[in-house]
Amino acid sequence: MVTKKIVILTGSGVSAESGVATFRDQGGIWTQYDYRDVATPEGFASNPGLVHSFYNDRRSALPNVEPNAAHIALAKLEREVESSGGNVTIITQNVDDLHERGGSVNVLHMHGELSKSICTNCNAIRKCNVPMSIETMCSECSRSGSLRPYVVWFGEMPRFMDEAMDAILSADFFVSIGTSGSVYPAAGFVSHAHAVGVATMELNLEPSENAHLFSDTQYGPATEIVPDWVEAVVRQM
Ligand code: APR
């Protein structure tokens, strides 16, 4: 099959071997925090200081982690497919910047980005280079206390959904990597792909909650199975 348009959904499992915590595995983020306290608008309203420190801690760890072989392989896939006239779209649930630092360019962060802030007064989205607090001033509108992490919380609308759905519904191949398939709308993408006849594959450490919906599956650590899969796709081109 000459693959022209590949859409790849990634979750925290693709960054796990870089040292970035997943959410629902043993020792995962949601085994240490109640998501209602740190990843909902209600949690932010009732204790913004706790939410800022939760994201400040995760943001400050970013410079100390590096893209792994899976991120680098996906960037190579994007370059190879593009050079043959096709394209690769990564739709990531991750808020880290490891896909970009690994060389990927066409990346849609549907759950936002840890490295950025958004102003609730003027909607400016800016790189966040200092720990954020309720006093931090917006560099665009100079309002203090209006910045929040540029991260999509539970109950909020993910970003880039139109672009994501357009990509999925016109893809030749939909691949899910490193996600438990437990959070919608991302967990429903495979059903949309399948409904229009797009070939689907799951690459994960273990079968996800919607593994049965994929026409092909491969299991193992992302740094092993993703580079092998990319090599196989590139060889077929
Ligand atoms: N290689 C491949 N897959 C792995 C690895 C690895 N080294 N380590 C873990 N995994 C897999 C796990 O088997 C699991 O299926 O990655 C998945 C991680 O699942 P979750 O912890 O649920 O993370 P994720 O699917 O990204 O969560 C989705 O939930 O809380 C929200 O916004 C948050 O974006 C996140 C969303």
Side-chain angles (χ1 to χ4, degrees), residues 25 27 40 45 50 107 122 126 130 139 152 155 166 171 205 215:
D25 291 321
T40 62
L50 171 67
V107 181
C122 71
R126 290 287 180 278
V130 295
S139 57
V152 176
D166 288 349
L205 190 62
S215 36

Side-chain angles (χ1 to χ4, degrees), residues 11-13 16-17 22-25 30 93-94 111 154 178-183 204-206 220-222:
S12 58
E17 290 162 90
T22 62
F23 291 92
R24 296 172 183 82
D25 291 321
W30 298 146
Q93 300 173 91
N94 300 340
H111 288 170
F154 287 94
T179 181
S180 61
S182 48
V183 173
N204 206 51
L205 190 62
E206 59 200 6

Side-chain angles (χ1 to χ4, degrees), residues 202-208 211-212 214 216-221 225:
E202 172 171 87
L203 301 176
N204 206 51
L205 190 62
E206 59 200 6
S208 69
H212 60 287
F214 289 89
D216 195 357
T217 57
Q218 281 178 22
Y219 297 113
I225 61 174

Side-chain angles (χ1 to χ4, degrees), residues 66-189:
E66 294 298 326
N68 63 50
H71 297 108
I72 292 164
L74 292 177
K76 177 184 174 184
L77 179 71
E78 180 179 22
R79 292 191 297 274
E80 297 282 344
V81 170
E82 287 209 341
S83 65
S84 69
N87 62 55
V88 171
T89 302
I90 290 181
I91 306 167
T92 187
Q93 300 173 91
N94 300 340
V95 293
D96 65 52
D97 55 357
L98 294 178
H99 281 304
E100 291 85 350
R101 287 168 56 199
S104 289
V105 175
N106 193 13
V107 181
L108 299 176
H109 281 273
M110 64 180 290
H111 288 170
E113 297 176 70
L114 199 50
S115 62
K116 295 178 181 173
S117 65
I118 184 167
C119 177
T120 56
N121 179 54
C122 71
N123 273 329
I125 297 171
R126 290 287 180 278
K127 266 293 202 195
C128 178
N129 302 312
V130 295
M132 223 186 309
S133 76
I134 46 178
E135 279 86 40
T136 312
M137 187 178 75
C138 172
S139 57
E140 189 69 23
C141 68
S142 305
R143 173 77 68 87
S144 280
S146 59
L147 294 188
R148 59 165 272 188
Y150 175 54
V151 173
V152 176
W153 287 329
F154 287 94
E156 296 186 321
M157 190 62 196
R159 296 195 170 248
F160 306 111
M161 284 303 290
D162 291 343
E163 295 90 335
M165 288 310 295
D166 288 349
I168 291 164
L169 297 178
S170 60
D172 298 294
F173 203 9
F174 173 77
V175 185
S176 176
I177 303 176
T179 181
S180 61
S182 48
V183 173
Y184 287 80
F189 287 167

